[in-house]
Amino acid sequence: MTVKTRFAPSPTGRMHVGNLRTALYAYLIAKHENGIFMLRIEDTDQERYVEGAVDIIYRTLAETGLVHDEGPDKDGGCGPYVQSERNASGIYLKYAKQLVEQGDAYYCFCDKERLAGLHRTVGGKDIAMYDKHCLSLSKEKVEANLAAGKPYVIRVNMPTEGKTSFFDEIYGEIEVENAELEDMILIKSDGYPTYNFANVIDDHLMGITHVVRGNEYLSSTPKYNYLYKCFGWEIPKYIHCPLITNEEGAKLSKRSGHSSYEDLIDQGYVKDAIVNFVALLGWSPEGDREIFSLPELVEAFDYRRINKSPSVFDMTKLSWMNGEYLKVMDEEAFFERAKPYLVQTLGENLDLKAIAKMVKTRISVFTQIPEMVDFFAALPEYDREMYIHKKSKSDLESSLTVLAEVLPVLEEMTDFTNDALFARLSAYASEKEFKVNKVMWPIRCAVSGKQTTPAGATEIMAVLGKEESCRRIRLGIEKLQG
């Protein structure tokens, strides 16, 4: 048997992290077994459709490397792959009518007012549940209503007694009371199938062997299985993924500001780190390894190691992981991603490539760049106490001496490159019998106005240039004298 999975998103906006994880796990399960990964667009909920959202789906899958083998743009013989197009061909209504003919479904003509008043007590809870009112309508009455153009839905006729059990690959055997299972709608009054019904029809017709989805669908699975049973179809394997929560334990929502793939890209994270991080939101590899490329994930992924318990979206861990990816990133690729932040903060008159190289191993996300390099554009206000540094044995007096003595040395230099600066200042330190750091510390404070910088004093001066470096050192002397 060829393993075949599907990613079936609804085009409702940016791709939520949970949806990205579903796509990733479905991709990994298929590719681990040399199977087929399929894309299906589920747009039957026309009220939630967002213009441009389909393009977001394609773009996100392409950027993350989750390339589908079949889909709307790659016909594998199971098309159409867009549910609205499938609905136009009458596929869903055909199967719904088959269930009606079998006695497993029925037409329901109840209006909104009647439905609003329906409640039942199940397990001590008062819940809204349809009462099978229209199941008792005669065939003649149904036909008369249809002929009169009366609005209707088609509902499945669920059993009301006994229990239904099903097996999930992650959660094991699950049993529910049939009394809790409502006669769900299969075809809505607008002629479109419900999400639940279209899923079952499409998964069967498209040969899906493993259904990957969030565990919020666990409660609906008995209804899906009942439909499979009514049609006499083989039930696929179910892999329900655990909930993703924020750091406070609540469901990760749009309000968090980092719930979608594009949110994270906007916040300076790179796609490879996002994919790696999302893979670990509910799945535990063997050993303690955490950094995986996509091909390595394909090789290592075993869905049986997916956890049952909720997975916390830990921003601290994501930032750490992102930093690891930035460290090994190609320098040119890093510069292209960093450049917009550098230009926004510094303009284009400085050596931005040199500055990018400075920050590459010091940031965890690109959005940290402006605060780290803003001193290149303008010397910030700083307190002269900053010159006191125990490790380099620098104090106000020694710092003033160093700055006053190195200023004329720097003014005379014609080669203001990093290597030349470091060699000359090291020679000065040797002449004075200072450790190099005792010379570099006050210079770095003077030219940056900060104690923490992405590079040393000579690297900073090489970018600033001779004129600006000397100007800042003069200001440092004035501050120490004052």
Side-chain angles (χ1 to χ4, degrees):
M1 178 190 73
T2 299
V3 169
K4 187 175 184 181
T5 64
R6 48 74 166 172
F7 176 50
S10 298
T12 57
R14 291 187 164 192
M15 190 180 292
H16 189 276
V17 168
N19 286 339
L20 177 59
R21 183 184 65 176
T22 298
L24 176 60
Y25 285 6
Y27 174 88
L28 295 175
I29 289 169
K31 295 306 172 183
H32 185 75
E33 299 294 338
N34 295 313
I36 299 168
F37 173 58
M38 188 190 80
L39 172 65
R40 182 173 73 224
I41 304 298
E42 301 196 338
D43 60 346
T44 57
D45 190 344
Q46 294 291 293
E47 292 183 1
R48 296 181 64 221
Y49 179 84
V50 173
E51 194 68 37
V54 172
D55 293 333
I56 291 175
I57 292 168
Y58 280 113
R59 185 170 63 247
T60 303
L61 292 180
E63 287 182 6
T64 54
L66 307 183
V67 181
H68 52 282
D69 304 296
E70 284 185 37
D73 57 337
K74 297 178 181 179
D75 192 348
C78 298
Y81 294 86
V82 179
Q83 284 187 338
S84 58
E85 296 176 12
R86 295 174 69 78
N87 187 59
S89 68
I91 290 176
Y92 307 116
L93 186 58
K94 167 192 167 185
Y95 282 101
K97 287 182 175 179
Q98 178 182 328
L99 291 177
V100 172
E101 292 169 3
Q102 295 174 187
D104 294 314
Y106 58 95
Y107 289 94
C108 174
F109 300 94
C110 293
D111 56 29
K112 291 182 180 179
E113 287 71 27
R114 183 177 188 281
L115 294 173
L118 295 178
H119 290 271
R120 283 179 60 185
T121 301
V122 178
K125 295 181 180 179
D126 183 42
I127 60 175
M129 181 173 284
Y130 188 63
D131 61 357
K132 294 181 181 286
H133 173 74
C134 289
L135 178 62
S136 61
L137 294 178
S138 67
K139 185 176 181 180
E140 292 75 18
K141 180 64 174 176
V142 170
E143 290 177 350
N145 285 343
L146 293 175
K150 190 171 183 178
Y152 70 86
V153 299
I154 297 179
R155 293 180 181 272
V156 66
N157 182 19
M158 296 295 296
T160 56
E161 297 179 353
K163 298 180 180 181
T164 295
S165 63
F166 68 94
F167 183 79
D168 179 78
E169 296 293 314
I170 308 305
Y171 291 85
E173 197 75 24
I174 296 176
E175 189 176 76
V176 296
E177 297 284 344
N178 287 336
E180 298 178 10
L181 304 177
E182 185 182 18
D183 288 2
M184 69 176 178
I185 295 173
L186 307 181
I187 301 294
K188 298 179 289 186
S189 58
D190 61 4
Y192 276 87
T194 57
Y195 170 87
N196 292 327
F197 185 54
N199 258 272
V200 170
I201 302 302
D202 289 344
D203 284 347
H204 171 72
L205 296 180
M206 293 176 167
I208 302 303
T209 62
H210 295 65
V211 174
V212 184
R213 59 185 173 218
N215 68 359
E216 65 267 28
Y217 293 105
L218 271 171
S219 61
S220 300
T221 302
K223 300 176 185 178
Y224 301 150
N225 285 2
Y226 184 71
L227 292 174
Y228 279 105
K229 179 182 176 182
C230 290
F231 285 119
W233 295 341
E234 183 178 353
I235 296 173
K237 289 188 176 182
Y238 292 113
I239 300 158
H240 287 91
C241 306
L243 180 69
I244 299 175
T245 73
N246 61 22
E247 290 164 318
E248 285 72 48
K251 184 177 180 180
L252 190 66
S253 68
K254 291 182 179 180
R255 290 189 298 273
S256 72
H258 53 260
S259 65
S260 78
Y261 170 78
E262 287 186 314
D263 288 339
L264 296 173
I265 292 294
D266 290 345
Q267 291 166 24
Y269 295 92
V270 296
K271 60 182 179 64
D272 292 336
I274 296 171
V275 170
N276 190 161
F277 176 76
V278 168
L280 300 178
L281 286 174
W283 172 72
S284 302
E286 291 186 9
D288 55 5
R289 180 181 176 186
E290 293 189 294
I291 304 298
F292 291 86
S293 66
L294 186 57
E296 289 169 339
L297 284 170
V298 168
E299 184 178 348
F301 196 79
D302 179 354
Y303 67 77
R304 297 167 190 83
R305 295 184 63 84
I306 294 175
N307 306 315
K308 298 178 184 178
S309 56
S311 187
V312 178
F313 195 96
D314 185 343
M315 289 297 292
T316 301
K317 183 172 181 177
L318 173 58
S319 295
W320 165 79
M321 186 172 285
N322 200 68
E324 295 301 300
Y325 275 88
L326 295 184
K327 288 174 185 175
V328 298
M329 196 173 188
D330 174 78
E331 286 194 5
E332 193 60 36
F334 179 86
F335 175 67
E336 288 304 314
R337 282 295 308 272
K339 187 176 179 180
Y341 299 94
L342 293 169
V343 171
Q344 177 188 355
T345 310
L346 307 175
E348 299 188 63
N349 294 326
L350 294 170
D351 185 348
L352 299 184
K353 283 195 173 183
I355 298 173
K357 192 173 181 180
M358 291 178 189
V359 303
K360 186 170 183 289
T361 60
R362 294 176 176 268
I363 62 170
S364 56
V365 289
F366 286 104
T367 49
Q368 293 173 335
I369 290 175
E371 185 178 1
M372 189 169 287
V373 304
D374 57 3
F375 69 89
F376 280 105
L379 189 67
E381 286 293 327
Y382 66 91
D383 193 304
R384 69 177 193 160
E385 301 301 315
M386 185 173 68
Y387 285 95
I388 301 172
H389 188 239
K390 290 183 179 180
K391 191 172 181 180
S392 65
K393 297 183 179 179
S394 296
D395 54 31
L396 299 182
E397 184 179 350
S398 66
S399 295
L400 177 58
T401 298
V402 168
L403 293 184
E405 291 182 352
V406 300
L407 178 59
V409 173
L410 297 173
E411 289 174 328
E412 291 176 0
M413 290 183 66
T414 55
D415 182 355
F416 220 73
T417 60
N418 174 55
D419 289 345
L421 287 165
F422 190 83
R424 185 64 188 89
L425 292 173
S426 295
Y428 165 78
S430 181
E431 292 166 11
K432 296 293 182 177
E433 298 184 348
F434 291 157
K435 288 188 175 180
V436 173
N437 199 27
K438 188 165 186 175
V439 175
M440 299 301 183
W441 178 259
I443 296 175
R444 182 165 69 164
C445 290
V447 297
S448 70
K450 292 186 175 184
Q451 287 186 314
T452 303
T453 57
T458 56
E459 292 172 284
I460 293 170
M461 286 194 293
V463 171
L464 288 172
K466 179 177 175 178
E467 182 179 343
E468 178 64 12
S469 296
C470 290
R471 185 187 74 84
R472 293 187 178 196
I473 289 174
R474 291 190 198 98
L475 292 173
I477 293 170
E478 291 176 10
K479 184 176 286 288
L480 288 167
Q481 287 175 332

